[in-house]
């Protein structure tokens, strides 16, 4: 996924391990009344999140603390 898609679009990723689709970002309000992303969703579930962004490759990773 690109940073552009995460910040401005809708991102749904199919997980290789469980084969389910997971909502990563919804900046267009397709699934909720307001914009949301995986960081917000994880905090709502009571998890602490550490965000790592590699600027040159625009790769993002979320690590539960």
């Amino acid at each position: 996924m690109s940073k552009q898609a995460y910040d401005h679009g809708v991102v749904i990723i199919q997980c290789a391990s469980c084969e389910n689709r997971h909502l990563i970002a919804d900046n267009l309000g397709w699934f909720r009344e307001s914009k949301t992303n995986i960081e917000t969703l994880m905090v709502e579930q009571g998890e602490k999140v550490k965000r790592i962004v590699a600027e040159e490759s625009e790769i993002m990773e979320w690590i539960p603390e």
Side-chain angles (χ1 to χ4, degrees):
M1 122 185 88
S2 70
K3 188 171 184 331
Q4 174 76 15
Y6 181 77
D7 289 338
H8 301 287
V10 175
V11 179
I12 300 171
I13 294 179
Q14 184 166 354
C15 182
S17 61
C18 71
E19 298 184 359
N20 287 324
R21 290 177 183 90
H22 303 285
L23 179 64
I24 303 299
D26 177 11
N27 292 295
L28 303 178
W30 286 4
F31 298 95
R32 289 186 160 203
E33 298 265 334
S34 61
K35 295 179 180 182
T36 192
N37 58 41
I38 191 68
E39 295 163 76
T40 304
L41 297 170
M42 289 176 77
V43 168
E44 288 175 4
Q45 296 285 324
E47 295 186 46
K48 293 181 181 178
V49 180
K50 182 176 182 180
R51 182 180 185 184
I52 300 171
V53 179
E55 293 296 327
E56 63 278 354
S57 62
E58 294 189 349
I59 296 172
M60 289 191 232
E61 180 177 353
W62 296 272
I63 302 171
E65 291 185 334

